[in-house]
Amino acid sequence: MDRIDKILASQNYGSRKQVSQIIKSGVVEVNGEVCKSISQKVNPDTDVITVDGRKIEYRQHLYIMMNKPSGVVSASSDKRDKTVIDLLPENLRRKGLFPAGRLDKDTEGLLIITDDGEFAHQMLSPAKKVYKKYFARLDKPVTEEMKEKFEKGIVFSDGTRCKTAFFEETDDSMCAFVSICEGKFHQVKKMFLVCGANVVYLKRIAIGKLQLDQNLAPGEARELENCEKHLILFV
C-alpha cells in the first residue's frame, strides 16, 4: 500500500505538487470512486486507478531499450553534452532513470535504461557473466593472433587483466565481433590497441541473448517486453 500521490508521481503524472492538483480537481478515481485525499492509501497491483477515465498501467520499474547514437553521452545528466535521457520520448520519462552501464560517446548501439538498480547490478556484474556483443571496424586486418590474445585474456600496460573475450571473424577482414562480460573504461578499444589496431567504429549489438531491435533508428527507444528482460539475465 502506498499514497496515491506518490504512485501517480512515480508513473509520470507530474511532480508531487502537480499530482496533488490533479487529485484535488476530482479526475482521479480508485475502484470507481473519486479520490478525495492526496494521502489515500492504495494498492497499485490490485486497485483500479483511473485519471480522466483512463486506467493507469502501474509499473514499479521501467526497462527501456535504446539504439544509442554517436555523439551522445551515457549519463543521466551532463552540463555540456546531450545525454541518452534527453533523447527519451515523453511517455518513457520519469524520475530515477539511468543508463545501465555506459557506451562511449562515439560508440553506438544497444543501451538499457532503467530505474531498477538491482536489475542493472545483475546485468553489469562480471560475476554474472552477462556477455555484451560488439561489432568493431578496425584500421588493420584481423589476425589469428588477436583472436588468441582475446581468448587468453588481454593484459593492459598497467597490468590490468581482462577476462576471456569471445572473438568472431567476419567476411570483412577489417571487422570483428567481440563479446565481453566486463565494462572497463574504453575496454574494447584498449583491447584492440594492445594488439596493434585502432577501432574506427564500434557498435553494441547484443546483451546476453537480447539483440538490438533493428527497427529502432539511432536515438530511438522503446520499452522492453517482459520476455526480453529474461533474455538479458537468464542466459
Side-chain angles (χ1 to χ4, degrees):
M1 301 286 282
D2 215 334
R3 287 171 54 123
I4 184 66
D5 59 344
K6 183 177 179 180
I7 289 172
L8 291 179
S10 76
Q11 302 304 296
N12 204 33
Y13 279 87
S15 65
R16 292 285 281 273
K17 182 177 181 180
Q18 291 170 325
V19 166
S20 175
Q21 294 173 339
I22 292 173
I23 294 171
K24 290 178 180 178
S25 71
V27 299
V28 177
E29 294 186 357
V30 178
N31 298 325
E33 296 185 3
V34 174
C35 178
K36 298 180 179 179
S37 171
I38 62 173
S39 61
Q40 180 176 336
K41 294 293 184 71
V42 298
N43 185 333
D45 294 320
T46 58
D47 291 326
V48 176
I49 305 169
T50 61
V51 179
D52 274 332
R54 284 185 285 186
K55 180 182 176 182
I56 71 166
E57 299 296 335
Y58 176 77
R59 291 162 295 176
Q60 183 178 5
H61 295 295
L62 273 182
Y63 306 89
I64 300 166
M65 174 194 293
M66 173 177 285
N67 184 359
K68 178 194 171 297
S70 178
V72 177
V73 297
S74 299
S76 297
S77 62
D78 192 280
K79 294 182 179 179
R80 295 181 301 174
D81 297 308
K82 181 174 289 188
T83 73
V84 293
I85 301 299
D86 295 329
L87 298 182
L88 290 175
E90 194 62 37
N91 66 309
L92 292 180
R93 291 177 179 242
R94 72 185 200 186
K95 290 182 179 179
L97 289 174
F98 61 90
R102 66 188 303 276
L103 290 175
D104 299 334
K105 185 176 179 180
D106 62 348
T107 299
E108 302 177 3
L110 178 57
L111 184 69
I112 301 300
I113 298 173
T114 185
D115 53 1
D116 186 343
E118 179 58 28
F119 179 87
H121 172 73
Q122 295 287 322
M123 186 184 86
L124 299 172
S125 173
K128 301 300 181 181
K129 295 185 178 180
V130 176
Y131 279 86
K132 292 81 179 174
K133 187 174 184 178
Y134 296 80
F135 170 79
R137 184 176 296 120
L138 312 176
D139 66 348
K140 293 182 180 179
V142 171
T143 66
E144 188 64 29
E145 183 182 6
M146 287 181 186
K147 184 176 181 180
E148 292 174 358
K149 286 185 175 181
F150 272 56
E151 293 179 351
K152 183 178 179 181
I154 292 287
V155 180
F156 296 149
S157 58
D158 63 0
T160 300
R161 178 178 290 277
C162 299
K163 294 182 180 296
T164 295
F166 294 101
F167 191 103
E168 302 172 50
E169 298 179 48
T170 71
D171 293 336
D172 187 336
S173 64
M174 306 291 283
C175 300
F177 292 110
V178 178
S179 297
I180 61 175
C181 64
E182 303 172 284
K184 294 180 172 63
F185 185 64
H186 292 321
Q187 182 172 344
V188 174
K189 295 175 183 176
K190 290 167 69 176
M191 290 168 73
F192 275 110
L193 198 58
V194 170
C195 299
N198 291 298
V199 174
V200 297
Y201 175 78
L202 190 63
K203 181 177 183 177
R204 185 157 65 195
I205 59 175
I207 299 176
K209 291 185 177 180
L210 177 68
Q211 303 284 327
L212 174 64
D213 187 340
Q214 297 303 309
N215 292 318
L216 287 179
E220 291 186 341
R222 68 165 175 81
E223 198 168 350
L224 287 182
E225 302 289 342
N226 284 330
C227 61
E228 291 179 317
K229 289 187 292 180
H230 294 308
L231 288 176
I232 294 177
L233 297 185
F234 300 102
V235 295

